[in-house]
Amino acid sequence: MTVDPRRSSPTTAPVRIAEADGHHAVLAFSGDLDAPALRALEEILLDHRLREPTAWTLDMTGLHHIDLACAYALLRAVTETPEREIAITVRGARPAVHRTLRHAGVDTVATFVH
């Protein structure tokens, strides 16, 4: 069996909270964010450190691939809390990642920067 080095290992989460305070949070993405990583993504998005910030930066400079299920999970995380608005900035998304996020509708709630 050949192992694809680009694939995330079960022990390495493809997303982590790089920083978070009461106003701003930075989520750093790396590798591949796909079906095997969906549970880890959803757990991170429920982390108590993300409850207060009203601005999130999704740093996707290290992300090679995201599937639609994970893109929808990101969209749900920011739209299912109507009592507070979260300003989302997506930074460094590769063209394929940007395309998948756009297909999921993330572009309707986020600003994309390079």
Side-chain angles (χ1 to χ4, degrees), residues 97-110:
V97 170
H98 188 157
R99 193 168 34 256
T100 302
L101 293 171
R102 191 177 66 244
H103 286 307
V106 174
D107 61 325
T108 64
V109 296

Side-chain angles (χ1 to χ4, degrees), residues 4-48:
D4 184 346
R6 295 174 301 150
R7 307 298 281 185
S8 300
S9 74
T11 59
T12 305
V15 60
R16 65 182 175 82
I17 299 172
E19 61 183 78
D21 62 28
H23 302 289
H24 185 249
V26 176
L27 285 82
F29 296 80
S30 61
D32 293 322
L33 196 54
D34 51 15
L38 181 58
R39 184 178 196 102
L41 172 63
E42 289 174 333
E43 288 175 8
I44 289 285
L45 294 172
L46 292 174
D47 190 289
H48 72 278

Side-chain angles (χ1 to χ4, degrees), residues 32 60 63-68 71 92-104 112:
D32 293 322
M60 297 193 166
L63 189 64
H64 300 287
H65 168 78
I66 185 170
D67 71 5
L68 275 173
R94 297 167 193 254
V97 170
H98 188 157
R99 193 168 34 256
T100 302
L101 293 171
R102 191 177 66 244
H103 286 307
F112 287 79

Side-chain angles (χ1 to χ4, degrees), residues 2 16 27 40 52 57 59-60 67 76 84 89 94 96:
T2 305
R16 65 182 175 82
L27 285 82
E52 284 188 41
T57 298
D59 183 355
M60 297 193 166
D67 71 5
R76 279 191 311 275
R84 73 180 173 117
T89 301
R94 297 167 193 254

